[in-house]
Amino acid sequence: MGAARASSFWRQHSCIAVLVALILQLARGQGSALQTYPVDWSVVPLNPPTSRNLTASCNCDLLNVGCSYGCCCDSKCPAALTKLFQSDGICLPSGTAQQTLKYCVSDGFVYKVNLPASSDFYVQPVEQADNAKFLSQLLCIVSDKNPNVGDTYPDPPSGNAGDNAKLAQCPAAVSPPSTPVQYSFQSVVQAYAAGSSAKQPLTVPYPAFSSVCNDQFVVGYLMPTPTGSRDYYVTCERNLKTLNLSVACNGSGILTPHFYSDLHILTGQGSSSVAPVTVVRVQYLDPVTGALSKASSTTSKYNSTSGLCSNIVRYLNMTLYYTYADPYGFIDEVELTLVLTDILVSNSPLLQSVRVSWIDSSQATTVQFVSSGHPGYITGLPVLAGTEVTNTSGAVAIQRLVSGMPVPTPGPNGLCNATSFETVKYGVNFTSSCSVSLTKLELKDFCINQVSQPEKYLRLAMPTLLPSMESGSLYLGEWGNADFSNINDWVQVSLSGVPFNQTVPIYSEADMACSGLVVGFDLQIVTGVAFSSNNLQQKVLYAKLCFTTGVWDIPDKASETTPNRFFLKFNVSFIRLPQQAVSVKKPAPPLVVPLPADVFYPFVVSDSAVGASRLCILLVILAAAAVSLTLQHFCY
Ligand SMILES: *[C@@H]1O[C@H](CO)[C@@H](O)[C@H](O)[C@H]1NC(C)=O
Ligand SMILES: *[C@@H]1O[C@H](CO)[C@@H](O)[C@H](O)[C@H]1NC(C)=O
Ligand SMILES: *[C@@H]1O[C@H](CO)[C@@H](O)[C@H](O)[C@H]1NC(C)=O
Ligand SMILES: *[C@@H]1O[C@H](CO)[C@@H](O)[C@H](O)[C@H]1NC(C)=O
Ligand SMILES: *[C@@H]1O[C@H](CO)[C@@H](O)[C@H](O)[C@H]1NC(C)=O
Ligand SMILES: *[C@@H]1O[C@H](CO)[C@@H](O)[C@H](O)[C@H]1NC(C)=O
Ligand SMILES: *[C@@H]1O[C@H](CO)[C@@H](O)[C@H](O)[C@H]1NC(C)=O
Ligand SMILES: *[C@@H]1O[C@H](CO)[C@@H](O)[C@H](O)[C@H]1NC(C)=O
Ligand SMILES: *[C@@H]1O[C@H](CO)[C@@H](O)[C@H](O)[C@H]1NC(C)=O
Ligand SMILES: *[C@@H]1O[C@H](CO)[C@@H](O)[C@H](O)[C@H]1NC(C)=O
């Protein structure tokens, strides 16, 4: 395959991948554990600022560290990369450009301009006219009145005359392209698999064409996954029943962390050196409680008796550091953070979530966050959420949840599961429900003997989230790029309906119903807009979480031991604050500079001549006004 064909294949491939990813996002809820970004206390000020500069506008710049793929106004993208995005025509919408005012002369010549009401103008002189050119530039020829009889062409000679032969040249013979040592944009990243010496493309699990993990999805140089940075991870499903788990779940099989940590990724496509792989962090996700803890082991095992695959990859976060000088570059090093979990074969499919990001090696390596706007929210992107944390010296920060504000969604078999959440998206009303399976006896026992915890099943569905809600430490980001180190960028989620023990469940034998249970919540988010009307920024103003109580009825004919489904329900709605635009006008500059008292020296203003001199001053003012209006008329 020629280089040109390869690159066009890549373009189509990445396009399809984006489409498929978007379709998948729309098609189903995604299970996700509540991962958080680490808090870097060294950047948390004790007294963070309370106001925010809304002037900056590059809406697609959603990463604090590193270049946002396809964002042509992102100042963190190396110029060479921005040029590539532009030449490939993949520039993302960047928002309304700053309004500018164009002068045809140096702005020193312009005395006064009537602007439409707005607070944000830059002055941009297009052409600097010197005094001599000033008048000639004010006057220009638009059309002349010479008679025109239409265009004619003289008859060109035929045969080998003039430029005829020169215009029909055979193309130069092309020599076959040699493989460069380095990578070029989108070229396939090459690696040696663990314990292998055969060069092969680097692949990651990816839901190409369906929700099933496709192991043929190759990583392209400087191509992030998910493309378009809409979600932190992209998730796919693995049917464990089609895998030979004594291989896949053992040693450095395809589900194991060693499959990635033992990779030897080549620094260039024709290079023989490998980039060092550092495993930064490995966490263990408890499949039952949803709790994340430091992994005690990274060795995967398969127990064929119980059908349990342990310590296998649930989340893969691969960060590749690169140096790029148009048109080629290298991979310098690779960082991995992993979340491992256990799964029973009978609970197949296994969800696997992947992120591949690219960071310029020359940029400072701090934690990379994904924003949902710059600065205001973009509709449809995750609502930022996190919990308030305080360190010993009294500094306050927000420990941001990686996927934003979570709401429980159905896990395996539609049951509520502590590891299954969907993210609240800005401006999108959303309802979800998951079920709890109980027999008549279990419900009765709960309703009569466990009256102190009417929220028991809600707690089982969100064991790590509910405590932070109860303690009031759950916050939502006011802006799409709310800063974790500034608590003033965040709004606390207000609660109604707690403490739960104010209502107790009551069992009614006659109706076979349990009432007074906490069966879900209703999250109401009030939003508003700010900034100039040509570049509105959306923000979260207030959030209220109302716990709802309800009744769980047992169907009349159910036997004591048949499981019945009862539902927890969750609502999220966005309410727009009614707002009126205010008209902002810049104060007009004084029309005439105040004149010094002795301006008419040597003519003296006598008492009797006061009337006359007033008239004189008035005339001067009128003349000045006329001149300024004339200039304005010509120049604006
Ligand atoms: C607490 O935060 C401050 C920054 O506000 C930092 O200088 C200090 O080292 C932090 N202390 C600890 C124990 O992390
Ligand atoms: C706000 O940001 C803009 C663009 O980055 C900058 O030009 C301006 O000076 C900033 N204003 C303040 C008050 O910091
Ligand atoms: C799985 O792989 C192992 C080792 O290669 C082999 O011994 C075993 O027969 C395979 N099992 C199945 C079901 O294919
Ligand atoms: C796992 O791999 C080791 C060698 O790496 C092998 O000895 C062992 O039998 C394998 N376990 C299973 C369950 O196949
Ligand atoms: C959640 O699902 C996992 C399988 O994905 C299962 O092992 C676990 O028991 C479930 N947790 C609950 C609380 O049902
Ligand atoms: C495999 O699981 C069975 C049943 O849970 C257990 O008895 C056995 O000890 C396990 N084997 C290993 C090697 O852990
Ligand atoms: C992903 O990896 C990068 C680089 O190692 C790290 O900064 C980031 O915090 C990781 N993300 C998560 C969710 O662990
Ligand atoms: C509810 O719980 C709080 C704290 O857990 C306790 O102080 C209070 O007495 C309880 N109220 C009832 C009615 O049980
Ligand atoms: C969720 O919203 C729907 C429609 O707005 C409403 O009928 C339902 O009662 C709400 N449920 C809860 C738990 O608030
Ligand atoms: C979301 O729900 C609120 C309250 O029910 C309603 O006012 C609003 O119009 C809804 N928004 C959308 C986009 O449907």
Side-chain angles (χ1 to χ4, degrees):
M1 195 161 36
R5 270 174 61 201
S7 96
S8 97
F9 165 79
W10 259 101
R11 243 159 255 174
Q12 283 163 19
H13 193 92
S14 63
C15 233
I16 292 167
V18 172
L19 270 179
V20 170
L22 288 177
I23 291 165
L24 287 173
Q25 298 300 332
L26 293 173
R28 68 204 163 87
Q30 277 187 9
S32 71
L34 300 181
Q35 280 191 79
T36 55
Y37 290 109
V39 173
D40 176 5
W41 285 108
S42 65
V43 299
V44 181
L46 274 174
N47 296 304
T50 54
S51 66
R52 176 173 259 271
N53 184 357
L54 291 179
T55 308
S57 134
C58 175
N59 295 352
C60 51
D61 177 9
L62 299 184
L63 298 175
N64 63 328
V65 179
C67 167
S68 302
Y69 179 79
C71 186
C72 298
C73 55
D74 185 347
S75 57
K76 297 184 295 304
C77 296
L81 205 48
T82 306
K83 219 174 81 195
L84 270 176
F85 296 156
Q86 281 161 346
S87 63
D88 278 20
I90 53 173
C91 288
L92 295 169
S94 59
T96 319
Q98 191 72 43
Q99 280 198 75
T100 58
L101 190 59
K102 295 197 162 103
Y103 293 101
C104 61
V105 293
S106 140
D107 58 347
F109 284 114
V110 180
Y111 203 46
K112 183 191 150 209
V113 182
N114 282 331
L115 294 173
S118 176
S119 55
D120 60 322
F121 277 97
Y122 283 158
V123 168
Q124 191 191 57
V126 173
E127 200 171 343
Q128 294 284 350
D130 55 31
N131 290 343
K133 277 201 291 184
F134 176 57
L135 280 173
S136 66
Q137 280 189 359
L138 284 179
L139 304 172
C140 48
I141 296 165
V142 175
S143 64
D144 63 31
K145 296 255 190 264
N146 287 346
N148 187 343
V149 291
D151 299 334
T152 57
Y153 292 97
D155 180 15
S158 44
N160 189 1
D163 282 344
N164 292 1
K166 235 192 275 173
L167 292 171
Q169 293 268 325
C170 299
V174 183
S175 54
S178 57
T179 307
V181 174
Q182 305 98 315
Y183 293 110
S184 57
F185 184 48
Q186 297 181 332
S187 61
V188 174
V189 173
Q190 302 285 347
Y192 300 116
S196 153
S197 59
K199 198 153 101 174
Q200 59 189 63
L202 171 64
T203 60
V204 291
Y206 190 86
F209 311 116
S210 75
S211 60
V212 176
C213 297
N214 180 334
D215 290 313
Q216 264 75 57
F217 181 81
V218 294
V219 175
Y221 187 67
L222 300 183
M223 295 288 290
T225 302
T227 313
S229 65
R230 303 235 134 200
D231 279 285
Y232 198 78
Y233 293 105
V234 59
T235 303
C236 62
E237 295 174 2
R238 266 191 201 280
N239 184 353
L240 297 179
K241 288 165 187 150
T242 61
L243 290 172
N244 182 343
L245 291 175
S246 44
V247 177
C249 189
N250 187 21
S252 53
I254 196 157
L255 300 179
T256 68
H258 287 278
F259 183 79
Y260 302 101
S261 60
D262 295 353
L263 270 177
H264 297 292
I265 296 176
L266 297 183
T267 55
Q269 56 184 316
S271 155
S272 55
S273 53
V274 294
V277 176
T278 319
V279 180
V280 178
R281 189 156 44 113
V282 188
Q283 288 176 299
Y284 173 77
L285 168 67
D286 188 315
V288 177
T289 66
L292 280 170
S293 54
K294 195 170 182 295
S296 52
S297 158
T298 59
T299 312
S300 311
K301 276 207 197 77
Y302 177 58
N303 182 333
S304 51
T305 324
S306 57
L308 184 75
C309 228
S310 49
N311 286 331
I312 51 174
V313 174
R314 170 72 183 84
Y315 291 93
L316 166 69
N317 168 19
M318 183 183 282
T319 309
L320 297 123
Y321 291 89
Y322 67 90
T323 38
Y324 180 80
D326 205 16
Y328 294 118
F330 288 104
I331 293 172
D332 303 320
E333 57 178 301
V334 181
E335 276 182 7
L336 295 178
T337 61
L338 297 161
V339 176
L340 311 181
T341 194
D342 297 347
I343 189 168
L344 281 169
V345 178
S346 55
N347 280 335
S348 180
L350 162 74
L351 296 180
Q352 284 198 305
S353 305
V354 173
R355 175 178 183 82
V356 177
S357 44
W358 294 85
I359 294 187
D360 187 346
S361 296
S362 60
Q363 292 188 9
T365 56
T366 52
V367 181
Q368 187 182 37
F369 297 98
V370 180
S371 310
S372 295
H374 189 97
Y377 275 103
I378 297 173
T379 303
L381 294 199
V383 171
L384 307 187
T387 49
E388 184 190 14
V389 283
T390 311
N391 88 349
T392 45
S393 51
V396 184
I398 294 290
Q399 181 147 41
R400 267 187 61 180
L401 289 162
V402 167
S403 316
M405 176 64 202
V407 170
T409 45
N413 306 318
L415 296 173
C416 299
N417 191 297
T419 64
S420 189
F421 290 94
E422 171 68 284
T423 303
V424 174
K425 306 274 163 69
Y426 186 90
V428 182
N429 287 353
F430 165 69
T431 309
S432 106
S433 67
C434 61
S435 62
V436 174
S437 176
L438 293 175
T439 65
K440 195 169 165 181
L441 278 180
E442 282 167 336
L443 181 65
K444 188 172 168 183
D445 172 67
F446 159 66
C447 207
I448 293 171
N449 299 324
Q450 303 174 35
V451 288
S452 64
Q453 39 175 329
E455 82 292 6
K456 174 178 169 182
Y457 292 102
L458 185 66
R459 196 174 296 280
L460 287 177
M462 33 189 234
T464 52
L465 189 61
L466 193 59
S468 38
M469 287 178 172
E470 286 174 293
S471 66
S473 64
L474 183 68
Y475 281 70
L476 299 187
E478 283 181 27
W479 299 101
N481 65 350
D483 181 357
F484 81 97
S485 71
N486 184 348
I487 187 89
N488 300 322
D489 274 1
W490 300 77
V491 58
Q492 187 180 24
V493 178
S494 319
L495 293 186
S496 129
V498 277
F500 298 112
N501 60 3
Q502 284 167 341
T503 60
V504 291
I506 298 164
Y507 186 70
S508 157
E509 186 69 58
D511 303 330
M512 282 195 293
C514 184
S515 55
L517 288 161
V518 178
V519 292
F521 62 70
D522 202 351
L523 175 63
Q524 310 203 359
I525 301 177
V526 180
T527 63
V529 291
F531 207 41
S532 65
S533 57
N534 66 336
N535 193 12
L536 279 183
Q537 304 292 329
Q538 311 190 81
K539 72 181 285 200
V540 166
L541 302 173
Y542 185 76
K544 177 118 190 183
L545 196 136
C546 318
F547 289 101
T548 48
T549 50
V551 183
W552 282 355
D553 273 311
I554 299 166
D556 288 346
K557 300 203 179 66
S559 83
E560 303 258 294
T561 51
T562 357
N564 294 286
R565 294 218 164 199
F566 301 99
F567 291 90
L568 293 179
K569 292 182 182 149
F570 308 94
N571 263 6
V572 179
S573 41
F574 286 83
I575 303 150
R576 195 56 196 272
L577 174 81
Q579 279 174 286
Q580 279 283 306
V582 258
S583 195
V584 181
K585 287 204 173 69
K586 283 197 170 166
L591 201 55
V592 179
V593 191
L595 301 175
D598 57 353
V599 65
F600 294 116
Y601 179 83
F603 304 102
V604 180
V605 182
S606 70
D607 271 359
S608 61
V610 160
S613 82
R614 279 221 184 110
L615 181 67
C616 182
I617 293 173
L618 191 66
L619 284 176
V620 170
I621 291 173
L622 286 177
V627 168
S628 99
L629 279 174
T630 317
L631 288 186
Q632 192 192 113
H633 189 77
F634 275 112
C635 296
Y636 183 50

